[in-house]
Amino acid sequence: MKLLVKASSFQGLTEAQAAERLASFGYNDLPKSRRSRTLGVLWRVLQEPMLLLLLCCGSIYLFWGEFRDGVPLFASAILIVGITLFQEVRSERALDALRNLTSPRALVIRNGLSRRIPGREVVPGDLLQLSEGDRVPADAELISSLPIAVDESLLTGECFSVLKAGTEDSNRVQLYSGTLVVSGEGVARVTKTGPHTQLGKIGSSLDLAPEFTTPLQKEIQRIVRLFGALAIFVSIGIAIAYGTARSDWSGGILAGLAAAMSLLPEEFPVVLTIFLAMGAWRIARNQVLTRRVGAIEGLGAISVLCVDKTGTITQNKMVLKKAQARASQFESDSASYSSAPVEVQELFRVSALACHQIPFDPMERAIMDSAAGLLNDATTLVKVYPLSSQIMAMSCVWKLKDDPELLIAVKGAPEAILKLCRSTPLEEQAVLAEVHRLGSQGLRVLGVCVGRSSCSAPVPDSVTQFDLRYLGLIAFEDPIRVDVPHAIQECQSAGIRVIILTGDYPETALSVARNLGLADRVVTGDEIIKLDDVQLRFCIQKTSVFARVTPDQKLRIVRALQSLGERVAMTGDGVNDAPSLRWADIGVSMGGRGTDVARESSSIVLLDDSFSSLVSAIRLGRRIYDNLQKAIFFIFAIHVPIAGLAILPVILKLPLILMPIHIVFLELIIDPACSLVYEAEGDEPDLMARPPRAAGARIFAERGLLITLSQGLSILLIVMSVYVVLLRFDQDGNQARAAAFLALILSNLGLILVNRSKSLNLFASIQNPNRAFIWVCCGSILLIALVLLIPNLSRLFSFSSISFSHVIIAILAAALSLFVGSTLGSAIRRSGIKWH
């Protein structure tokens, strides 16, 4: 954003002074709750149904005097609380890092240079550069400004803006932390930060935008409630059946509690929270800040990207591309500036003399680069005729070294230059035809002319009074970012449509779109005005470039796309883009050049303003959803054999296989498998080669449920068969239980491996490394080995020592489960049933 109030007029603090004051005054953070976040996480963990069931079982054992069984259950509860607390705190820390990034950014002047820093690092004495759309990060006093209006409704409740003006005298005009600059710009000196500001004194606290329940979260909550009700019903039935059939009501209560624990998928909400939090952290590492964690769920379903051209598709950096000095031509692609013809070098020199001494405008910077080495250092600026609505050109009068005359350098709109040179109609026609030709190539064109005047004559009040001679044209382009073409191709292969919405000229927008292979036609804002909603929807289906569009027209386009069933991501950086960002399914603001209002209205922020970063975020969003789906399917699949092994022995009047301590052991494997192994899984090979996920798609859908159910039932059948056969031949329930439990643990690890990928076969998954999977496997095998080999632990689990042949049987059973699960998964995936 261009600032007319220049940083070069102020010095500001040095970095050393700023660091000293930051240490003295602390961070510019507003008051926060003193309640420990860790205690809050602990309170949530203690309310988990699975933990409550575990504590209930332990209490019952202790009530009956079974300390050998009760104490380990309480110890296991403490261990589970520790693991869950670690995972929750890990997620909270990831979110804290994101909250720090989402604090308002401040443009400060330090060492005479402008730099953007986090708002929390602003210190008293800092000089703030403020412009339209900025959130004031601290209490400050205006010291210099153009007319500036501030929205102070956050403090006063009044909806109208307050006009302020800053001067260099002692009557300072106050600005307050949290207020919004709605127009104008200025420089202000920070007076108070953090809790000492007006906002801090009234105890307000700014944080991330409130989180709303996403469709995925609602689906998970619905499933947990359904299984919770089922667990209550089944546990009561099991307790009654066991107690009636065996006249053992204490055993029936424990069997019922074990059945409830086996059926309750309490991992679902925990896994969802961890995946979204860690996903936001992973995306932030790719220069994309997630302001609303729930937006990660929607990234994988995006079907249309509405992007601005300047700064997102292009570099927002002008490069002098072509020059024409009457008969001489120049193209920067084929030659360096220093090798340009003499007439072109003169054109560069005059155009540079027509620029500001300290250029800010991108085109002026490009001109100064092209004229490097051509300017005479010993020059004196006599007068400047600035750009105006009457004369769209800038003129500078110079006294050059060893030159008896003044030189008048002028650059501006070609029409204005031709008028100043008093060109004939024939000359105008030829020049404007060339301007049109260059413009059709997406170039921005300036005209240049030069004049001479006697040093003794008074300098006139208007540049029109000089006798000026036409020199030629210079044309600029805003180059396409190097990584954009590949990102566009990636979007197209992923079934994501890219639409350019820009306020730039139609020719420029169309030229960029053609270079990217996006479109061959453009629709302007004037044409959109004439279309009703039905016509606009029809137009959008056939058009991918819209130029000269206003913010309200961008909003119309977004709403029209949504009415067609599209999931829309919209980029924006200005105050007027806020409505479109708010209405889009995923609002994307620019972290570098965007205003605070745009960032606050968006779901994610591109910290580097790069289109390829947005595409990377979509890729990561798809990956996160894929891995979350794998984790949830794994939880569902492993609960099938766990529930079956807890319920079937009661129905078949066999000794129990699973007791509460066994289910606790399984939880120690299931939770890390979900939150570590699947969260760390890489991209599927077809991740960006498949269409976007349907907007209404559920995470539990036909083919996934069928694979999950078949794999879970196959493990249940195989492990139950091992138990029944060993029970019949060995007549030792504890030994059969040990072998069956070992088979279940190994089958569980095999199930993790089988479902690591939805598209790769078993052997390809094995070759695809995942360190977390190796750690989970090693840890699980070590734990079960300790349980089987240490007598006291074996008695705790109601195991008898098993022979080598029993171990081989368990391994073979697990291998069979692995083979059957892999075969069933591959067969069902090849069927016509859809995943989503």
Side-chain angles (χ1 to χ4, degrees):
M1 180 174 294
K2 183 175 179 179
L3 292 175
L4 299 177
V5 181
K6 294 291 190 293
S8 56
S9 305
F10 304 91
Q11 183 63 28
L13 300 176
T14 65
E15 292 297 338
Q17 289 173 326
E20 182 180 343
R21 296 189 186 192
L22 185 62
S24 176
F25 292 97
Y27 284 105
N28 181 35
D29 289 329
L30 296 178
K32 296 181 180 179
S33 171
R34 294 185 180 182
R35 179 179 61 84
S36 170
R37 180 173 285 121
T38 302
L39 292 178
V41 173
L42 179 61
W43 176 245
R44 289 202 305 271
V45 172
L46 291 176
Q47 296 178 38
E48 290 293 334
M50 178 66 73
L51 184 63
L52 294 177
L53 286 172
L54 185 58
L55 294 175
C56 183
C57 291
S59 300
I60 291 173
Y61 276 124
L62 293 179
F63 179 76
W64 288 334
E66 298 290 341
F67 292 98
R68 188 193 69 178
D69 296 311
V71 171
L73 286 180
F74 275 102
S76 301
I78 295 173
L79 182 59
I80 288 179
V81 168
I83 292 175
T84 308
L85 190 62
F86 168 76
Q87 293 171 335
E88 289 273 0
V89 170
R90 179 179 177 226
S91 301
E92 286 291 333
R93 286 177 178 172
L95 290 177
D96 280 343
L98 296 177
R99 290 187 182 102
N100 291 336
L101 286 174
T102 55
S103 66
R105 313 291 285 177
L107 186 62
V108 299
I109 302 173
R110 289 182 180 172
N111 295 320
L113 300 174
S114 298
R115 55 169 300 201
R116 198 170 290 276
I117 64 172
R120 67 192 304 262
E121 295 180 9
V122 169
V123 297
D126 259 330
L127 296 184
L128 303 173
Q129 279 187 281
L130 301 170
S131 60
E132 178 182 342
D134 285 345
R135 184 75 68 181
V136 181
D139 285 2
E141 56 185 17
L142 272 175
I143 59 175
S144 178
S145 75
L146 300 174
I148 185 169
V150 182
D151 177 2
E152 296 182 341
S153 58
L154 185 66
L155 292 173
T156 65
E158 301 293 339
C159 60
F160 53 84
S161 57
V162 180
L163 187 64
K164 296 175 180 283
T167 62
E168 294 289 353
D169 58 30
S170 59
N171 298 319
R172 300 302 189 193
V173 176
Q174 296 295 316
L175 298 177
Y176 300 104
S177 175
T179 58
L180 178 69
V181 179
V182 295
S183 66
E185 58 188 57
V187 175
R189 179 179 288 108
V190 175
T191 56
K192 297 177 182 178
T193 59
H196 305 292
T197 64
Q198 289 296 316
L199 191 61
K201 288 178 182 178
I202 62 176
S204 297
S205 179
L206 297 178
D207 206 339
L208 286 172
E211 291 292 331
F212 299 99
T213 304
T214 67
L216 180 57
Q217 290 170 326
K218 292 178 181 177
E219 184 181 359
I220 294 296
Q221 291 171 0
R222 184 173 60 251
I223 292 169
V224 170
R225 285 195 298 267
L226 175 65
F227 276 90
L230 178 64
I232 294 173
F233 177 78
V234 171
S235 64
I236 293 173
I238 289 295
I240 293 173
Y242 190 100
T244 303
R246 310 188 190 195
S247 299
D248 182 4
W249 289 102
S250 60
I253 293 173
L254 289 173
L257 290 173
M261 293 172 67
S262 68
L263 283 169
L264 191 64
E266 59 89 23
E267 303 93 347
F268 282 170
V270 175
V271 165
L272 177 60
T273 300
I274 291 172
F275 267 67
L276 293 183
M278 294 306 299
W281 175 75
R282 287 186 184 277
I283 288 177
R285 295 174 65 187
N286 286 269
Q287 297 298 304
V288 178
L289 171 63
T290 307
R291 294 194 69 255
R292 297 178 178 88
V293 177
I296 295 173
E297 173 190 340
L299 280 171
I302 291 300
S303 58
V304 176
L305 287 180
C306 292
V307 298
D308 188 20
K309 176 186 70 68
T310 305
T312 306
I313 298 293
T314 62
Q315 298 177 22
N316 194 24
K317 175 186 176 182
M318 284 296 172
V319 174
L320 201 155
K321 184 74 172 177
K322 294 184 179 182
Q324 183 187 60
R326 295 194 178 274
S328 299
Q329 303 283 338
F330 173 81
E331 289 193 27
S332 61
D333 286 344
S334 57
S336 64
Y337 297 128
S338 60
S339 63
V342 175
E343 296 88 348
V344 173
Q345 290 192 21
E346 177 64 13
L347 180 66
F348 290 160
R349 176 172 174 270
V350 172
S351 60
L353 290 172
C355 295
H356 290 93
Q357 290 178 288
I358 303 177
F360 181 86
D361 183 83
M363 284 192 285
E364 289 194 346
R365 289 180 178 175
I367 290 172
M368 298 302 287
D369 289 341
S370 66
L374 300 177
L375 297 178
N376 188 339
D377 295 333
T379 58
T380 303
L381 181 63
V382 177
K383 188 177 181 64
V384 176
Y385 301 96
L387 185 79
S388 67
S389 58
Q390 292 78 26
I391 302 176
M392 298 296 291
M394 179 176 176
S395 309
C396 296
V397 180
W398 291 89
K399 176 65 177 74
L400 305 181
K401 181 181 179 182
D402 301 328
D403 193 331
E405 293 184 311
L406 297 177
L407 183 142
I408 301 93
V410 187
K411 72 172 188 342
E415 297 86 348
I417 296 298
L418 291 171
K419 185 177 180 181
L420 289 173
C421 294
R422 303 176 182 86
S423 302
T424 65
L426 188 61
E427 290 173 333
E428 282 191 19
Q429 184 178 359
V431 171
L432 293 178
E434 183 64 17
V435 170
H436 178 75
R437 185 184 70 83
L438 293 172
S440 65
Q441 300 173 20
L443 303 178
R444 295 189 181 186
V445 185
L446 293 180
V448 181
C449 62
V450 67
R452 294 280 182 171
S453 178
S454 171
C455 292
S456 59
V459 179
D461 294 330
S462 173
V463 71
T464 58
Q465 299 177 36
F466 288 108
D467 184 16
L468 300 173
R469 175 172 56 89
Y470 175 76
L471 280 184
L473 301 172
I474 49 177
F476 307 83
E477 73 167 354
D478 185 1
I480 295 173
R481 288 177 179 260
V482 177
D483 52 353
V484 166
H486 174 72
I488 294 286
Q489 292 175 2
E490 198 170 13
C491 285
Q492 291 171 336
S493 66
I496 300 171
R497 185 181 171 200
V498 179
I499 296 178
I500 296 178
L501 304 179
T502 180
D504 209 341
Y505 293 101
E507 295 84 0
T508 305
L510 187 57
S511 174
V512 170
R514 282 173 174 165
N515 290 336
L516 294 171
L518 287 178
D520 285 323
R521 66 187 296 261
V522 61
V523 173
T524 65
D526 291 338
E527 294 174 276
I528 291 176
I529 294 175
K530 302 174 184 177
L531 303 178
D532 59 27
D533 290 343
V534 175
Q535 292 172 324
L536 180 60
R537 286 196 292 269
F538 180 78
C539 174
I540 287 173
Q541 290 175 308
K542 298 182 176 297
T543 307
S544 294
V545 183
F546 295 86
R548 282 304 196 200
V549 290
T550 60
D552 61 313
Q553 290 170 344
K554 291 182 181 181
L555 179 58
R556 275 194 71 194
I557 292 171
V558 169
R559 298 295 301 275
L561 286 166
Q562 291 173 327
S563 69
L564 293 170
E566 304 285 2
R567 296 292 296 274
V568 183
M570 168 78 187
T571 68
D573 56 7
V575 176
N576 292 331
D577 289 327
S580 300
L581 295 174
R582 182 69 70 182
W583 273 100
D585 296 285
I586 301 290
V588 183
S589 63
M590 303 295 113
R593 69 179 191 277
T595 62
D596 284 337
V597 172
R599 285 191 286 271
E600 290 172 6
S601 300
S602 64
S603 303
I604 63 176
V605 181
L606 300 183
L607 298 179
D608 58 359
D609 296 358
S610 172
F611 177 78
S612 61
S613 293
L614 176 56
V615 177
S616 297
I618 293 175
R619 169 185 281 275
L620 278 169
R622 289 190 174 194
R623 167 186 162 180
I624 291 165
Y625 189 89
D626 273 1
N627 291 342
L628 177 61
Q629 191 177 53
K630 295 172 190 175
I632 289 178
F633 282 164
F634 165 73
I635 294 170
F636 190 85
I638 197 58
H639 272 274
V640 172
I642 292 174
L645 294 173
I647 296 170
L648 282 180
V650 177
I651 297 175
L652 299 176
K653 298 182 179 180
L654 298 173
L656 295 180
I657 301 177
L658 296 182
M659 301 173 190
I661 189 67
H662 301 126
I663 297 175
V664 169
F665 186 93
L666 288 166
E667 288 293 323
L668 297 179
I669 299 175
I670 294 172
D671 277 353
C674 295
S675 59
L676 297 178
V677 177
Y678 287 116
E679 197 278 328
E681 275 297 321
D683 298 350
E684 292 287 331
D686 65 338
L687 185 68
M688 294 297 282
R690 62 171 110 112
R693 187 178 76 250
R698 292 186 174 184
I699 200 162
F700 286 97
E702 300 90 357
R703 187 163 63 173
L705 278 177
L706 188 56
I707 292 174
T708 295
L709 189 60
S710 62
Q711 290 176 338
L713 287 174
S714 66
I715 292 176
L716 172 60
L717 179 62
I718 292 170
V719 174
M720 193 68 193
S721 299
V722 169
Y723 180 68
V724 171
V725 170
L726 292 179
L727 191 64
R728 173 167 296 184
F729 282 94
D730 293 342
Q731 301 294 316
D732 184 349
N734 288 346
Q735 197 172 58
R737 181 183 295 113
F741 191 71
L742 176 59
L744 178 61
I745 294 296
L746 297 178
S747 297
N748 183 11
L749 298 178
L751 185 63
I752 299 173
L753 176 60
V754 166
N755 290 305
R756 279 182 52 204
S757 175
K758 295 189 292 186
S759 55
L760 298 176
N761 58 35
L762 178 60
F763 297 104
S765 293
I766 294 173
Q767 295 172 1
N768 190 21
N770 184 324
R771 291 184 179 179
F773 174 66
I774 296 174
W775 282 107
V776 168
C777 286
C778 294
S780 302
I781 293 172
L782 177 61
L783 285 176
I784 190 62
L786 292 175
V787 168
L788 293 174
L789 296 176
I790 299 176
N792 289 335
L793 288 178
S794 295
R795 285 194 295 271
L796 177 63
F797 279 75
S798 299
F799 291 162
S800 294
S801 60
I802 59 175
S803 64
F804 181 73
S805 60
H806 288 92
V807 174
I808 295 299
I809 291 172
I811 293 174
L812 291 176
L816 180 60
S817 298
L818 180 64
F819 173 76
V820 172
S822 177
T823 303
L824 286 172
S826 298
I828 296 173
R829 289 187 184 104
R830 287 195 298 268
S831 66
I833 305 173
K834 295 182 179 179
W835 257 102
H836 302 296

